[in-house]
Amino acid sequence: MYRSRPKGNLNKEMLNFLSSMNDDLQILHYDILGSEAHVIMLHEIGILTLHETKKILVALEQIRHKPALLTTGDVEDIHESIESLIIQQTGVDIGGKIQIGRSRNDQVILDIRMKVRDDINEICEKIITLITSLLKKADENIDTIMPMYTHLRQAQIGTFSHFTLSYADSLFRDLDRLYITYVRINQSPLGAGAIGGSRIKLDRQKTARLLGFKGIVRNSIDATSSRDTIIEYTMDLTIIMLTLSRMTEDFIIWSTDEFGYLDISDEYSSSSSAMPHKKNPDPLELLRAKAGTVSGNLFTMITIIKAIPSGYSRDLQEIKTSLWQASATTTQALKIMNYVVKSLIINKERMEQASSNSYAISFDLAELLAIKNGMSFRTAHKVMGLLVQKAISNNRQPLRRLREEDIREVLESLGSKLSAEEVLKDIKETAPQKSISSRQSLGSPNPMQEQNMVKLSRGRLSAYSKRIAKRKRLVDEALKNLTRMVSNCSKKA
Ligand code: ARG
């Protein structure tokens, strides 16, 4: 349809190569809305007569209800497909006017922004749901003591709630990132035309308002060429997936027979075709892998966009596949992770047992020695290190089983005057429970702080929920108003 200068038709295979029709089905809905706003605006500024406007709007409505009418085979994209159907239904003298003051270049980025805007709201809601589940787990597990790990070796004593709260905090930042990106996405490029605007005095603010945008992307080159906000969005998604991949890895490790800290519900576990005893965490493994898929999508897009000159180039079409995949994968991953979190079975005894046999307590004791006795931390570190060495050589006994003379020997070897009896008393008194309840610094797993964190986080969550609901409402109201205008226009005599 667009071939005014080139002779004849596009070679079939070439057309197939050029076509973005497969990806475009996801923006059909937005393309129709954008066209409605454009046509109404053209009418209001006196470019289209009421009769022409009505004809086009009716044809658009028909496509909305019967997308099967669209040809998919011999067109380059959804924009061409819609325009040619409108021309077919209203004649070229009317339908051929729909593209006045508009190009596929501003059209496609309009559609992308509208879809991403909806996707952001949906993904924000999914994050909120997941954080809600994590906070519930945190609340239930404030007293669930477990070792914390660095280098995947027992480091300090903590609680399961401290982990779930840490995931929640990461997800809060993920949420906030999307929340801010939305502001940059929610601007209309429509009316920028092919690259340099139009001689018609298009009312760009009007179409922006009709489509629920907060303002326009002003510069026409910028509006049609740049994809930075889209990259930013995909980066946000990649970071979400990285957060989820850390969670999956923790859950996979903690659910092994060796750890046994938690169990993943049977509903979310696979089995083996060969080994009858197996219960595999396949959903978590796939979630972990999908973090790779989404970061791959991001890099695909960055690599495509890199060094494209200003102004639309067809390269830009190629990002849609990755963009849609990144959105869909992240949405699904958040949903699946929520199921997993809600159904986690926590083995409190196993965690507690691991904690009470852990040498992780020696850090608390080194701090205690230093604070109580004015010992340098370096010396306290040595004392505890040597005591752990002794305990390990005694058949890996826990520190509380050390004998007084073992302690005396260590203290004397370091020239310390501390009483071995006193140190043994401290060791015996520093049970894992005490270890966390005496953790004072802000952000540590002290149960009182944890309770506070749960409360604070719930407050933050409800504030985000309200703000996102409001954003959705604003878009909804604008689009409802557009629908009303369309139907009023179609009814006018
Ligand atoms: N199918 C194209 C895309 O997805 C639409 C814009 C085409 N514009 C052009 N000048 N060829 O990006």
Side-chain angles (χ1 to χ4, degrees):
M1 182 175 70
Y2 300 135
R3 298 176 71 76
S4 297
R5 175 183 163 175
K7 297 192 193 99
N9 286 332
L10 261 170
N11 166 292
K12 197 92 198 131
E13 197 180 341
M14 190 55 72
L15 180 57
N16 224 356
F17 176 69
L18 281 180
S19 172
S20 59
M21 214 42 200
N22 273 344
D23 285 327
D24 288 351
L25 293 177
Q26 302 228 26
I27 47 173
L28 166 64
H29 165 64
Y30 302 106
D31 207 70
I32 293 174
L33 288 167
S35 298
E36 288 174 340
H38 179 66
V39 166
I40 286 177
M41 182 273 294
L42 287 182
H43 170 55
E44 287 186 358
I45 63 170
I47 299 290
L48 293 181
T49 65
L50 180 60
H51 173 69
E52 290 166 339
T53 311
K54 274 166 68 171
K55 283 266 183 200
I56 297 176
L57 289 177
V58 168
L60 280 167
E61 189 64 9
Q62 224 173 348
I63 298 173
R64 173 180 284 131
H65 293 298
K66 226 173 166 193
L69 290 172
L70 291 168
T71 77
T72 50
D74 49 359
V75 287
E76 288 185 36
D77 51 37
I78 196 76
H79 322 293
E80 180 178 12
S81 180
I82 291 178
E83 188 183 343
S84 63
L85 187 56
I86 289 175
I87 290 176
Q88 203 183 306
Q89 295 190 334
T90 63
V92 73
D93 290 338
I94 294 179
K97 289 185 175 175
I98 189 175
Q99 213 64 356
I100 293 178
R102 188 169 74 154
S103 149
R104 286 185 293 165
N105 299 351
D106 56 345
Q107 220 178 326
V108 70
I109 186 61
L110 170 75
D111 297 352
I112 291 176
R113 280 174 181 266
M114 286 180 77
K115 173 169 161 48
V116 168
R117 183 171 71 172
D118 282 352
D119 289 350
I120 289 183
N121 284 332
E122 187 183 353
I123 292 173
C124 284
E125 286 178 340
K126 294 272 176 304
I127 298 178
I128 288 174
T129 307
L130 176 56
I131 298 180
T132 308
S133 304
L134 285 166
L135 293 180
K136 183 159 184 286
K137 284 282 167 211
D139 205 16
E140 293 163 359
N141 288 285
I142 285 179
D143 57 353
T144 304
I145 290 172
M146 66 180 284
M148 300 188 291
Y149 299 81
T150 65
H151 311 270
L152 206 51
R153 301 289 188 273
Q154 294 183 356
Q156 279 187 273
I157 303 297
T159 58
F160 186 62
S161 77
H162 206 51
F163 281 99
T164 50
L165 285 169
S166 86
Y167 305 142
D169 278 357
S170 292
L171 287 164
F172 266 121
R173 281 192 299 279
D174 296 340
L175 177 61
D176 198 59
R177 238 172 251 125
L178 277 179
Y179 189 78
I180 291 167
T181 300
Y182 184 91
V183 177
R184 283 187 275 273
I185 289 286
N186 193 24
Q187 296 179 325
S188 171
L190 187 60
I195 178 167
S198 163
R199 65 180 294 151
I200 298 167
K201 200 156 181 254
L202 301 165
D203 190 345
R204 293 193 62 197
Q205 301 288 0
K206 172 83 189 189
T207 45
R209 252 194 327 277
L210 287 177
L211 295 169
F213 284 100
K214 206 157 180 196
I216 61 169
V217 188
R218 184 172 292 267
N219 183 296
S220 60
I221 302 175
D222 182 38
T224 49
S225 314
S226 56
R227 296 293 184 271
D228 56 302
T229 50
I230 303 302
I231 295 291
E232 174 184 343
Y233 163 69
T234 315
M235 175 60 110
D236 296 346
L237 299 187
T238 304
I239 299 175
I240 293 171
M241 293 305 291
L242 293 180
T243 306
L244 297 188
S245 78
R246 170 160 69 96
M247 294 171 66
T248 58
E249 186 59 11
D250 284 348
F251 295 161
I252 289 170
I253 292 171
W254 295 337
S255 62
T256 55
D257 290 331
E258 287 71 13
F259 274 78
Y261 290 175
L262 46 84
D263 211 0
I264 293 152
S265 144
D266 282 359
E267 240 186 308
Y268 304 118
S269 307
S270 305
S271 200
S272 154
S273 64
M275 298 160 284
H277 63 284
K278 292 277 275 191
K279 176 175 161 182
N280 293 331
D282 295 29
L284 288 171
E285 289 165 343
L286 272 174
L287 277 182
R288 192 172 54 187
K290 283 175 194 292
T293 305
V294 176
S295 65
N297 293 146
L298 172 67
F299 279 92
T300 302
M301 291 163 67
I302 288 176
T303 316
I304 290 169
I305 286 167
K306 179 199 139 289
I308 299 182
S310 287
Y312 180 89
S313 297
R314 197 60 173 260
D315 312 48
L316 292 172
Q317 167 171 300
E318 192 72 8
I319 68 167
K320 285 186 286 188
T321 319
S322 298
L323 178 58
W324 302 166
Q325 189 181 27
S327 283
T329 307
T330 310
T331 311
Q332 187 192 38
L334 284 161
K335 223 160 113 183
I336 296 292
M337 184 53 102
N338 184 50
Y339 293 146
V340 171
V341 167
K342 278 172 80 169
S343 68
L344 281 180
I345 303 152
I346 315 296
N347 191 343
K348 289 193 184 208
E349 285 95 85
R350 267 296 291 140
M351 291 183 178
E352 191 144 2
Q353 192 191 356
S355 308
S356 73
N357 290 333
S358 169
Y359 296 120
I361 209 85
S362 65
F363 172 76
D364 303 78
L365 287 162
E367 279 196 325
L368 183 67
L369 285 179
I371 297 160
K372 208 168 110 182
N373 307 303
M375 193 182 253
S376 82
F377 182 75
R378 201 41 61 224
T379 310
H381 189 277
K382 276 257 138 46
V383 172
M384 290 316 304
L386 291 173
L387 289 180
V388 170
Q389 219 178 67
K390 270 218 178 315
I392 288 174
S393 59
N394 283 347
N395 238 340
R396 294 196 70 85
Q397 62 177 182
L399 285 173
R400 60 180 180 278
R401 299 258 157 73
L402 282 170
R403 291 168 314 161
E404 213 176 292
E405 53 262 44
D406 291 332
I407 299 176
R408 191 166 305 115
E409 201 180 298
V410 166
L411 290 171
E412 278 167 8
S413 75
L414 294 170
S416 165
K417 299 254 164 339
L418 276 189
S419 128
E421 191 191 344
E422 190 75 2
V423 172
L424 185 58
K425 199 167 141 249
D426 285 340
I427 292 176
K428 284 186 171 157
E429 277 174 3
T430 309
Q433 187 70 51
K434 178 135 183 241
S435 157
I436 57 155
S437 63
S438 53
R439 221 67 69 69
Q440 304 263 0
S441 59
L442 206 58
S444 55
N446 180 310
M448 308 248 280
Q449 288 199 35
E450 305 276 80
Q451 253 145 18
N452 204 20
M453 278 302 296
V454 172
K455 214 171 112 202
L456 284 175
S457 302
R458 285 197 170 131
R460 281 178 78 192
L461 207 53
S462 102
Y464 273 113
S465 278
K466 283 189 195 126
R467 283 188 233 134
I468 285 152
K470 182 169 170 207
R471 277 182 172 174
K472 285 181 70 175
R473 206 169 50 241
L474 287 176
V475 173
D476 252 31
E477 281 167 7
L479 297 183
K480 276 202 189 113
N481 179 50
L482 176 62
T483 309
R484 246 192 323 270
M485 290 181 77
V486 168
S487 85
N488 284 348
C489 195
S490 315
K491 271 188 239 141
K492 273 191 203 154

